[in-house]
Amino acid sequence: MLSTAVEIAPPMPMDMPTRADAPCFHCGEPVPAGTDLRVEIEGERQPMCCRGCQAAATLIVGAGLSEFYRHRTVVSPRVEEMPAAVRERLAAWDHPAVRRQFTRERVDGSAESSLMIEKVACPACLWLIERYLAQQPGVLEVGLNYSTRRARVVHSAGVEISGLIRGIERLGYGAQPYDPRRQQQGSDRERRTLLRRLGVALVLGMQVMMVATAFYFDDGYIAADHRQFLNVINLLLTTPVVFYSGTGFLQSAWRGLRGGTLNMDLSVSLGILLAYVGSAWNTLADRGTTYFDAVVMFVTFLLAARYLEFMARARAIESVERMGRHLPLLARRFNPATGGTMEMAAPAELVPGDRLLVRPGEEIPADGVVAEGVSTVNESLLTGESTPVPKEEGAVLIGGSINVDSPLQMTVTRVGENTLLAGIVATLERALGERPRLTALADRIAGWFVGAVLLIAALTALAGIAAHTGHWFANVLAVLVITCPCALSLAAPAAMTCAINALMSRGVLVVRSAAIETAARVTHIVFDKTGTLTHGAPRLAHTALLGSHGAAECLALAAALEQHSEHPIAHAFRAAARGLCVPCAAGVISEPGAGIHGEIGDRRWFLGSPRFIAGHTGLQPLPAAGSGPGPGPIGTTVVLASEDRLVAAYTLLDEIRPEAAAVVRALRARGLRVTLLTGDQQPVSAAVADAVGIEDRRAGMNPEAKLQAVRELQRGGAVVMMIGDGVNDAPVLAGAQVSIAMGGGAALAHSSADMVLLRGDLRGVLLAVEHARKTCRIIRGNLWWALFYNVTGLPAAVLGLVNPLIAAAGMSLSSLFVLGNALRLRSVAEPR
C-alpha cells in the first residue's frame, strides 16, 4: 500500500527544446561538445550530459515514472559515479548491529526503516523517490515527509537497505539512515544562513533607507552632484543585499527556469533584478528614478517572513524530536547471570523481560509494568496532563515519562521502536508530512498565479511603452512585487502544523492531518459505550449460580474462554480468576459484541449476553441486570452456559466517565446530534444514555450493525465522527468520515482512527472539534485574505496607484499577517 504523504499539484509545464545546444534534460547542465547521449521520454529523444544522467533517466522511464519530468519545479541533481568508499559504507548499513539503529521489526514480521533524503529540490523529487521505492521488490509501504526530508519505508525483513539507498543515489539524490544529530546539524546550518542573510539585509538596508529618507523630503535643496553621490552609495550598499541576501530567491528562480517551470520565486527575482538593474542604470547614467529603497525592503521583508516560517516549521519538528530524545542515556538493569547485580545498559540494549531500577527524578527507559514499589509518574510529555499519575505493582509504565516520588523496579515489556513513545513520534511525523486538500488547493492556485502575474506584467510594460508614459517601469515593478504568492502558499501549511502540535500538547494525537478539515464539518457524533462513555474497566460485582457447579469452577471456565480476548470484560474475568487453576479452551470462537464459545474438556461452553446464549443453546434468556439511575456504576449481565443448561450469571459494573454528561451537553449545544451505538443489552444502554443525556440510543448491535448505522447516517447527508475503543470498534472507526480512539484502546482501533485521546478524557473530543473549526476558519481567512490582497493590489499596481516601495511593504506584511494568523493556533482554548 502506497502512502500519499506528498501530493503534487501540477505546475505549468514548459517543454524543453531538443535543439543541438539544449542543456541536459535531466540535470540542466550544458551538454559537452561531441556528446550524443539521449533517452526517449514521452515520445521525444531528450539530450543527456553524461552517462550518469542517462542511466538515471533510463531508470525513471523504465519504472514508468516519466511524468516526474512534467511535475518537477526545478531540475534534478546531476548523477555522479559512486566512489568505492561510498559503496563500502552502504554495505555496512546492512550489518545487523548497525541496521537495528534505524530499523524496527513489526509484529507482522515486516520491518520499518527511517531514511534521510538529501539533494531534494522540490515536491516532485519526493514524488519520484516515493514511487521508485514503492516499486522495489519487498517494499510494502512508503511515506515521505517534505518538511523533515524523512522517508518511512515498510519492507519485508530480507530487504537490504543498501540496495534501496543505492537506487536513490542512482536517481541523482542522496539518502542515508536517519540520524537525529545530523538532521539537527542541517537545520542549524539553514537557520544560521538565513540569519546571516537577514542580518546583512537589515544592516545595509537601514543605511539605504536613511539616504532614501533624505530624497523623500527633498524640495530641490539637494544639489545634483550630491544626489548622484548618494545614489552611488545606495548602489554599493544594495549590491550585497541583492546578490548575497537575495541569492536564495535568485538561485531558486534560475533552477526553475532551467528545468522549464515557473515557481513562485520567479516573480520575486524578476522584481528584485529589474529594480536593481534599472536603478543601477539610472545611477550610472545620472538620470531618472532609482528604487534601491524598494529593493532592500523587499529582500529584507521576504527574508524576515521566510525566517519566521522556518522557525515555525523548526519548532514543529523540534517538538517531535524532543519527544524522541526523552529517554535516559543509560538504564539500571539487574543482571540475573551475576546473581542480580546491577549494571548500566543503554536503552537500545534492553530486551523485554529485563528488570530495571528507576530512581526518583529519572526517566522511564522503556515501556513496562511496575514489579515492585509505589510512586507517582509524570506523563505530561505524552498526555499533556501535568498531574503525576499514581503507580503501584502491576501498573503500566510508559517510556519517556518521569518517576517522581520513590524508587520503582519495573519489568520491560516493549523497547525501541515498539514503545508507545516511538509510535506517537512516528504518527506525528506522518501527520505533519501529509498535504491536506486545502494545502494542495493553495499550492495549485499559486502555481498558476505566477504565470498570470508574468503575463500581466508584460502587458503592463507594453501598454506603458505604447502610451509613452514615463512611469511604466515603476508600474511593472509594483506588479511583480505586490503579487508574490508567498502568502497564498503559507496560508494552509502553517496553520495545519500549528494545529497538530497544539492538539498534541493537550493530549489529542492527530494521526491523519486531513481529519482536521473533516472534524470541522462534523454534524453527527456517535459514541460507543464500553471504554468510551464508561471507563472500560468493568469489575465482577455479583455471581448467581444456576446449576450444580461451584463458584470457583464457573469462574475458571469463564476465564478459560476469555484467555485470548482483549475485550474489557475479558480482563475482568481474568483478573477475578487470578490464583485459580484455569483450564485450556480449544476451538474458541468470538462473536464481537455478543459473546464467546469454545471446547473445554469434552463439552462446548458459551459465555455472553442472554440473547447470545439463547441464540446458541435455545435456553430461556435471563432478564438483564438492573441499573440504578444517575452516573454511577452500570450493570451488565453475562451468562455462562453449556449446550444444555445455564450454569452461572455474572453482573459486571462499569463506571461512567465523570465528564461524559458535560461533554454530551456541550456537543449538543454546538448543534451536533449525538448517538449511542452499543452491543450491550437494552436496559444497560438505556441507563447509560439516560445518565449522560443521549436520546438516540441503539442497543444489541454487533460491529456490522454499527457500521450499517453509520452508513445510514452518511446516506442522509451526515458527516459522522465516531468515538470508540477496542477491537470491536475498528470497522466502524474506519467507516466514519472522522474517528477518535480512546488512549487505552486496542492497537487495531488506533490504527483505524484519525485521532487518539492519549489522556482517555472525553473532553478531548470537544477540543478536537473546536480547534478543527478554528483551524479551518483561520485557513479560509488566510486564503481569502491572500486572494483579496492580490486581486485588489494587482489593479492598483497596474494603474500606478502603488509605488514599488509600498508594494514591497504590502507584500511582506501580507505574508507576515498570514503567518501570524496561523500562529494563533499554537494554543488551544478550553472549550466551554
Side-chain angles (χ1 to χ4, degrees), residues 389-413:
V389 181
K391 300 290 181 180
E392 58 185 11
E393 186 175 343
V396 174
L397 296 174
I398 302 174
S401 53
I402 301 173
N403 184 22
V404 177
D405 293 326
S406 307
L408 287 175
Q409 290 189 28
M410 63 173 290
T411 302
V412 174
T413 57

Side-chain angles (χ1 to χ4, degrees), residues 480-809:
L480 291 171
V481 170
I482 204 169
T483 54
C484 174
C486 298
L488 196 60
S489 295
L490 278 174
M496 200 64 70
T497 298
C498 291
I500 290 172
N501 281 282
L503 286 171
M504 178 61 205
S505 71
R506 297 297 298 273
V508 181
L509 174 63
V510 178
V511 178
R512 300 175 181 89
S513 60
I516 292 179
E517 294 180 42
T518 310
R521 300 184 289 109
V522 162
T523 61
H524 283 63
I525 305 289
V526 177
F527 284 101
D528 179 51
K529 181 185 74 69
T530 303
T532 305
L533 292 175
T534 66
H535 282 289
R539 67 182 188 278
L540 190 58
H542 178 70
T543 302
L545 299 177
L546 307 176
S548 58
H549 294 76
E553 183 182 2
C554 292
L555 186 57
L557 292 170
L561 292 172
E562 297 283 18
Q563 280 301 307
H564 301 290
S565 174
E566 291 300 321
H567 194 279
I569 289 179
H571 289 289
F573 276 107
R574 292 202 297 268
R578 194 171 296 156
L580 298 178
C581 181
V582 177
C584 293
V588 176
I589 299 175
S590 175
E591 297 184 15
I596 193 168
H597 56 94
E599 299 282 346
I600 302 177
D602 57 355
R603 304 187 71 179
R604 191 154 198 87
W605 293 88
F606 301 85
L607 181 70
S609 66
R611 181 181 299 179
F612 171 80
I613 296 298
H616 280 276
T617 67
L619 299 174
Q620 183 67 31
L622 297 175
S627 303
I634 299 298
T636 298
T637 297
V638 176
V639 179
L640 175 67
S642 64
E643 293 175 308
D644 56 2
R645 69 183 62 184
L646 300 173
V647 175
Y650 299 97
T651 300
L652 294 98
L653 298 182
D654 195 2
E655 295 278 350
I656 295 178
R657 294 182 185 272
E659 75 277 7
V663 168
V664 171
R665 283 196 304 270
L667 291 171
R668 295 178 63 181
R670 285 159 173 77
L672 300 171
R673 294 188 58 185
V674 183
T675 299
L676 171 64
L677 302 180
T678 177
D680 225 324
Q681 303 103 319
Q682 178 64 35
V684 176
S685 66
V688 174
D690 291 339
V692 301
I694 298 178
E695 297 176 0
D696 183 13
R697 74 285 298 265
R698 308 181 196 182
M701 305 189 77
N702 59 26
E704 290 76 14
K706 291 181 183 179
L707 183 57
Q708 289 304 317
V710 168
R711 288 176 175 168
E712 181 181 343
L713 290 172
Q714 292 169 335
R715 283 192 293 269
V719 179
V720 179
M721 172 183 282
M722 176 72 194
I723 299 97
D725 175 70
V727 176
N728 294 347
D729 296 323
V732 68
L733 286 173
Q737 280 101 331
V738 61
S739 56
I740 298 180
M742 304 301 289
L748 178 58
H750 288 186
S751 65
S752 302
D754 301 302
M755 300 180 187
V756 178
L757 303 184
L758 296 176
R759 295 184 188 176
D761 189 330
L762 285 175
R763 284 172 292 192
V765 176
L766 273 178
L767 287 173
V769 171
E770 285 288 286
H771 210 59
R773 289 179 172 181
K774 181 180 178 182
T775 300
C776 288
R777 281 197 305 268
I778 286 179
I779 289 176
R780 284 193 294 268
N782 282 348
L783 289 174
W784 279 113
W785 162 254
L787 289 173
F788 171 79
Y789 163 78
N790 282 288
V791 167
T792 56
L794 186 57
V798 171
L799 297 174
L801 303 178
V802 178
N803 65 44
L805 180 63
I806 301 301

Side-chain angles (χ1 to χ4, degrees), residues 41-65:
I41 301 174
E42 297 188 332
E44 295 187 27
R45 292 181 56 77
Q46 303 291 359
M48 301 290 155
C49 66
C50 63
R51 296 200 176 276
C53 288
Q54 184 187 37
T58 302
L59 181 66
I60 293 170
V61 173
L65 303 173

Side-chain angles (χ1 to χ4, degrees), residues 261-504:
T261 56
L262 307 177
N263 60 30
M264 70 176 64
D265 284 330
L266 183 57
S267 58
V268 170
S269 300
L270 279 176
I272 293 172
L273 288 177
L274 284 176
Y276 174 78
V277 172
S279 300
W281 177 266
N282 288 342
T283 296
L284 298 177
D286 194 14
R287 67 182 186 188
T289 306
T290 59
Y291 305 99
F292 294 120
D293 51 351
V295 173
V296 295
M297 280 197 60
F298 191 28
V299 173
T300 302
F301 280 136
L302 270 177
L303 283 173
R306 296 207 175 179
Y307 179 74
L308 290 176
E309 177 197 358
F310 167 80
M311 292 305 296
R313 177 164 50 91
R315 278 194 294 268
I317 297 172
E318 172 61 21
S319 67
V320 177
E321 298 296 339
R322 185 171 61 250
M323 290 185 68
R325 294 194 298 264
H326 230 270
L327 290 175
L329 294 176
L330 293 172
R332 294 179 173 84
R333 178 173 63 183
F334 294 99
N335 189 347
T338 59
T341 59
M342 189 177 298
E343 63 181 12
M344 305 304 290
E349 297 174 337
L350 300 177
V351 296
D354 280 348
R355 193 178 179 100
L356 310 177
L357 173 66
V358 184
R359 294 177 177 175
E362 294 182 345
E363 290 133 334
I364 309 294
D367 289 356
V369 295
V370 177
E372 183 180 321
V374 177
S375 184
T376 59
V377 173
N378 186 339
E379 298 177 347
S380 60
L381 172 73
L382 305 174
T383 65
E385 178 57 62
S386 58
T387 305
V389 181
K391 300 290 181 180
E392 58 185 11
E393 186 175 343
V396 174
L397 296 174
I398 302 174
S401 53
I402 301 173
N403 184 22
V404 177
D405 293 326
S406 307
L408 287 175
Q409 290 189 28
M410 63 173 290
T411 302
V412 174
T413 57
R414 292 181 296 188
V415 297
E417 297 297 325
N418 296 317
T419 60
L420 176 61
L421 177 62
I424 292 174
V425 170
T427 300
L428 265 180
E429 288 174 346
R430 284 197 298 271
L432 290 171
E434 290 176 351
R435 294 173 62 80
R437 180 180 55 85
L438 286 176
T439 303
L441 174 63
D443 286 349
R444 193 175 300 118
I445 294 173
W448 290 102
F449 188 72
V450 171
V453 166
L454 295 180
L455 179 61
I456 293 172
L459 293 175
T460 302
L462 292 175
I465 294 172
H468 301 288
T469 59
H471 52 75
W472 67 267
F473 187 72
N475 293 354
V476 171
L477 291 182
V479 168
L480 291 171
V481 170
I482 204 169
T483 54
C484 174
C486 298
L488 196 60
S489 295
L490 278 174
M496 200 64 70
T497 298
C498 291
I500 290 172
N501 281 282
L503 286 171
M504 178 61 205

